[in-house]
Each structure stands twice: as structure tokens, then as C-alpha cells.
Amino acid sequence: MRNVLLLILIVGTIIMTGCSYEYAKEDGYRMAVINEGFPIPKNAYELKPEDCTNVIAKSAKYKLKDIGDEEGTPPQDYLDEIERWGWTELEDKRVGHVHYFEKEGKVMSLIIQQNVFDVFEMSDELEL
């Protein structure tokens, strides 16, 4: 009986370790909850989003280990994936670790921090 319990404990630990929220290109991407056309890493864990303002129509906040470094630099693979989904980065509008992307008249903002990132769908009132 003791051996069975030990085996269950070991298997459970292995399963739980495989469910970590860590950035890995190989895990793939899924649609953001606020915009079905904007990708986020598949294993990102959704947190309570920031409040919307007159320039932010929708917001989502995610936790994901290794999504950004101390300066808020996102993985290049993630930026490449955003472009593959049809978004164009507005590089001249970038401010520090705040990235803006445009697609079909919609503007999304991506703010990367160490282990956390925010995605904002900007309102139509925003003038870039």
C-alpha cells in the first residue's frame, strides 16, 4: 500500500511540473480574450486586467514566466508570431516596453514586463 501511495505522489508531482506557466515558443499561441485576432502564448495565465479608460477599450493581463526580461523586452519569437497573425508593429510609436500593433484599423498595445504582460485594445478615439 505504501508503494502505491508513493507512486501516486511521484506521478502527481510530474504532472503538476508539466503544467508550469513559462514562455516557450513550442507551446504555441491562442487568441487573446479581448481580440480574437491577436495572439498570446498558449500557456499564459489570465490575471485581473487593468481598468479601461477613454483610450483603452478592452484590456487583459497575463502572467507568464520568462515572457520579458528586466527591461521588458519581449521574445523575438512572440513579436514574429504577432506579425504572422497579420499585425504590423507601429515602431515609430513604441515607447520603452510599450509596443503598438495595427491591423484592419484596430490598434493593440502590448506592454511586457518581467513575467507579466498586458494587452490593450485601444479605442477608436486614440490618435497615434
Side-chain angles (χ1 to χ4, degrees), residues 4-127:
V4 173
L5 185 59
L6 181 62
L7 180 62
I8 291 172
L9 182 62
I10 290 172
V11 170
T13 303
I14 291 170
I15 290 172
M16 293 303 289
T17 305
C19 297
S20 66
Y21 299 108
E22 186 169 348
Y23 177 77
K25 172 187 169 187
E26 297 79 25
D27 289 337
Y29 299 88
R30 62 183 165 101
M31 299 177 283
V33 295
I34 61 169
N35 185 305
E36 293 181 356
F38 195 83
I40 59 159
K42 190 178 282 185
N43 55 350
Y45 178 76
E46 191 174 351
L47 301 171
K48 184 177 185 278
E50 303 295 326
D51 291 332
C52 295
T53 65
N54 60 336
V55 294
I56 298 173
K58 300 176 188 174
S59 69
K61 185 178 200 80
Y62 299 93
K63 180 178 183 179
L64 186 60
K65 186 176 179 194
D66 294 334
I67 188 66
D69 58 19
E70 291 177 7
E71 288 79 38
T73 306
Q76 186 60 47
D77 295 330
Y78 184 32
L79 296 176
D80 293 343
E81 187 69 22
I82 293 169
E83 287 187 15
R84 275 193 286 280
W85 283 45
W87 294 88
T88 303
E89 184 169 4
L90 305 172
E91 293 182 18
D92 58 324
K93 305 299 181 193
R94 187 185 310 164
V95 180
H97 58 270
V98 180
H99 299 258
Y100 290 95
F101 299 90
E102 189 274 331
K103 177 181 174 182
E104 299 174 357
K106 285 286 181 194
V107 176
M108 299 291 289
S109 173
L110 174 66
I111 302 175
I112 300 282
Q113 299 170 350
Q114 192 172 16
N115 302 326
V116 176
F117 67 102
D118 294 278
V119 178
F120 300 107
E121 184 175 298
M122 309 311 287
S123 73
D124 294 335
E125 297 174 19
L126 177 70
E127 292 186 24

